[in-house]
Amino acid sequence: MPTTPLTPSLTDGAAAVLTVGGNERLTPELVSRVASVVAQAESADNGVVLLLLGGDAAPTAQDPADFPSSGTGIHLVNTWERVLRRLENAGRPSLAVVEGDCTGPALEVLLIADYRLAAPDARLRLAGAEDGAWPGTAVHRLANQIGTARARRLLLLRPWLSAAEAAAGELVDETAGSTQKIRERAAALAGVLSALPGQEWSIRRRLLFDSGLSYEEALGAHLAACDRSLRRQQPMPSTRP
């Protein structure tokens, strides 16, 4: 197991906590670990899903940026993609914090997070091998999140990005001058996100995911969400006679 890069106090009250080492490989054990976190997140009424990425991982003789490792089958990749999508759609908001190197599965988890923080020592890189960047759904998420042109450059060159470069490229939302400041910011954000009504946030997240639809196609879903919000804000009728 990779070393958790954050102080234990941040995890108190979390709906679920997932730790993925920055150079960790895709394995059945990792998939099971994510599935367990998904189950916790789907059953939680409050709290934030903490995604603690980077830090230490088991040493490997291979280039840590290579992904997947030799012997990985398409069935495992398919299972991974499905459980990652479930985590992305979980009812509770997710907060990712990156410290140290982050590539492979850790980077794919980062890309599904609702909010992302990077410590100043963080380094991000797309996974891949001799035939280029790994063509998983991270490619799809990158294009949707940062635009096709920027995603194309990352796919072609696969550079290591510093925390500042990742923030400038909108791969992460915030960085800071020290790891301690990032941890303090993470603790503060966890409190804010924990208070969000999970089902309401998941509806708004779905509207973001559907942003590629035409206005006419999206209008109905947006009106339904607005109606739901208005109904929640109306006072309950008095039960007094």
Side-chain angles (χ1 to χ4, degrees), residues 18 29-39 80 83-84 87 109:
L18 173 66
E29 188 276 332
L30 174 58
V31 173
S32 296
R33 201 190 321 150
V34 175
S36 176
V37 168
V38 168
W80 165 252
V83 75
L84 203 60
L87 181 60
V109 172

Side-chain angles (χ1 to χ4, degrees), residues 171-190:
L171 285 173
V172 300
D173 296 295
E174 296 183 36
T175 186
S178 71
T179 298
Q180 183 59 35
K181 287 183 178 179
I182 279 295
R183 293 175 177 178
E184 291 171 355
R185 178 61 173 155
L189 280 171

Side-chain angles (χ1 to χ4, degrees), residues 128-150:
E130 293 181 355
D131 60 351
W134 172 244
T137 57
V139 175
H140 178 80
R141 291 187 176 93
L142 274 175
N144 280 307
Q145 293 174 16
I146 67 173
T148 302
R150 280 192 287 183

